[in-house]
Amino acid sequence: MDTCRIPENASKCSGNTMECFMVLSTQAQKISIGILCGLFGTMCVFENSLVLYLIFSSPGIRKKPSYLFIGSLALADILASIIFVCSFVNFHVFNEAGFSKEVFLLQLGGVNTSFSASLSSLLLTALDRYISISRPSEYKLLMTRKRAWTALGALWVACATIAYLPLLGWNCCVLDSACSELFPFVDDNYLSGWICFIMVLLGCIVYAYAHVLWRARQHVAYMEKHQAQVGKQSTRMRMDVTLAKTLVMVLAILTLCWSPVLGLMIYSIFARLSERLRKVFAFCSTLCLLNSMVNPIIYALRSKELFSSLRRVCSHFRRKLKASEESPEAESTHKSSMIET
């Protein structure tokens, strides 16, 4: 087992650095975390898998850059759910600490990559709406499929690079520096940098949406004044306004779910965390799964294209189910008629 400097408030665990971070002390707490992770994780994987299927099974939808970014968000949420639930439950519920520093940092890097890519995909979606509303006449020239795929590739590479810096050597064991009170082997300076990265992403998203909402409000006022004359442009504006409102709801939920986690991370850098606050952090971490679970529900309720695609899939499934139920009856009728003959 790798050893390095541990948090001062966990000095009683000096025999095993990993055990210092297993803060769930009662069976009830472990069962609660297990239920929350199992419920949120399962629903998140199912819902986001459905979103990916709806996007890439429809040629008309998957060609649009907007839905490529939403597909990236869904993929990131699926990976985050799987990696987070497996590693989090294994560590906090089953208290598995027999793996090496490298394996732990590999798991942590996977979780950070997925959640960072989720947030970054939301930023690209916000920028897509920003361009669509601020420069509608040039939108198709500026936001092509090739540029969308290039942006997504750069996004995932950047998120993975930043997330795996601790595994590559920026950790408190290699640097012999103070470790974070919330994550084993993670250097406090790295945690500060990662928080700044997330805050920059959030700041860019807020700026983009502030502009989107301002332009959307102008569009609504324009439509009310010239409703009889706008024609096709009116329909386009309504779509932009609807999608903007949808993504603002996503951002609001994202902020509510991530604020407690980020707040405790920032607090841990400047002050010592009590045992109670570290337990609160463990439970607040499950809110990230809740955010990933709620996003697809908002798309299904607010996006007419995705909702129409979902209705087509459900109708097709019902027809197949009805056909399979009628098939044995038809076969039985055919057999009985043969016997009578």
Side-chain angles (χ1 to χ4, degrees):
M1 175 65 65
D2 296 280
T3 59
C4 50
R5 192 180 306 174
I6 61 174
E8 293 181 27
N9 66 343
S11 57
K12 61 181 180 181
C13 304
S14 57
N16 190 331
T17 57
M18 298 294 283
E19 289 180 356
C20 304
F21 298 88
M22 298 175 181
V23 295
L24 303 182
S25 55
T26 67
Q27 197 66 21
Q29 293 173 353
K30 294 180 180 180
I31 292 174
S32 299
I33 283 287
I35 292 174
L36 289 174
C37 288
L39 177 62
F40 293 163
T42 302
M43 291 298 295
C44 181
V45 171
F46 171 75
E47 292 170 1
N48 284 286
S49 298
L50 180 61
V51 169
L52 282 178
Y53 175 77
L54 293 176
I55 290 174
F56 290 100
S57 64
S58 175
I61 292 178
R62 70 168 177 259
K63 290 180 180 179
K64 298 181 178 180
S66 301
Y67 289 102
L68 290 179
F69 299 146
I70 291 175
S72 173
L73 177 62
L75 176 62
D77 286 338
I78 290 173
L79 294 177
S81 301
I82 295 173
I83 302 173
F84 176 84
V85 169
C86 292
S87 58
F88 195 79
V89 170
N90 190 44
F91 186 80
H92 284 290
V93 177
F94 298 108
N95 297 137
E96 179 60 47
F99 40 78
S100 65
K101 175 191 70 177
E102 288 74 19
V103 172
F104 179 85
L105 292 178
L106 182 67
Q107 293 176 351
L108 184 64
V111 173
N112 287 345
T113 298
S114 303
F115 280 127
S116 299
S118 176
L119 186 58
S120 299
S121 298
L122 189 56
L123 172 60
L124 288 182
T125 310
L127 293 177
D128 175 74
R129 289 300 90 201
Y130 176 90
I131 296 173
S132 176
I133 285 185
S134 62
R135 306 175 72 176
S137 60
E138 304 173 41
Y139 173 76
K140 289 186 178 180
L141 293 175
L142 294 173
M143 190 57 68
T144 62
R145 280 173 54 82
K146 183 178 180 181
R147 289 181 178 178
W149 281 112
T150 302
L152 287 174
L155 176 157
W156 281 87
V157 170
C159 290
T161 301
I162 293 173
Y164 282 106
L165 285 176
L167 182 63
L168 297 175
W170 192 355
N171 60 74
C172 53
C173 296
V174 172
L175 300 177
D176 193 26
S177 56
C179 294
S180 167
E181 293 186 68
L182 296 173
F183 305 100
F185 311 120
V186 173
D187 180 73
D188 262 339
N189 292 325
Y190 169 79
L191 183 60
S192 301
W194 188 82
I195 292 172
C196 289
F197 171 64
I198 297 299
M199 297 300 288
V200 168
L201 290 179
L202 284 173
C204 292
I205 293 173
V206 169
Y207 174 80
Y209 277 120
H211 186 83
V212 165
L213 289 179
W214 176 64
R215 292 302 296 265
R217 189 174 180 180
Q218 286 186 325
H219 285 181
V220 171
Y222 179 81
M223 285 187 292
E224 290 175 351
K225 188 178 288 186
H226 306 87
Q227 193 158 6
Q229 305 170 3
V230 289
K232 273 189 173 182
Q233 189 179 3
S234 174
T235 304
R236 169 73 188 194
M237 288 179 179
R238 285 195 186 97
M239 289 173 59
D240 287 339
V241 172
T242 300
L243 191 51
K245 290 179 180 178
T246 298
L247 297 174
V248 167
M249 289 174 61
V250 174
L251 178 61
I253 292 172
L254 178 78
T255 304
L256 289 173
C257 291
W258 276 83
S259 292
V261 173
L262 289 176
L264 286 172
M265 285 183 185
I266 295 172
Y267 182 77
S268 71
I269 295 173
F270 298 102
R272 297 181 186 177
L273 292 176
S274 64
E275 194 73 16
R276 183 179 178 182
L277 281 178
R278 294 170 73 200
K279 289 180 181 179
V280 170
F281 178 80
F283 278 92
C284 287
S285 298
T286 61
L287 291 176
C288 302
L289 282 179
L290 177 62
N291 170 72
S292 299
M293 185 186 76
V294 169
N295 283 345
I297 298 175
I298 298 176
Y299 304 146
L301 292 175
R302 302 285 297 182
S303 172
K304 290 183 179 180
E305 291 176 297
L306 280 181
F307 189 71
S308 299
S309 181
L310 178 60
R311 289 181 62 182
R312 286 195 299 270
V313 170
C314 291
S315 299
H316 179 70
F317 178 76
R318 281 198 298 267
R319 286 196 299 269
K320 289 186 66 176
L321 189 62
K322 188 176 180 180
S324 64
E325 288 176 351
E326 292 176 351
S327 180
E329 295 176 4
E331 185 178 351
S332 175
T333 303
H334 177 71
K335 285 183 178 179
S336 61
S337 64
M338 290 291 290
I339 293 172
E340 290 172 1
T341 303

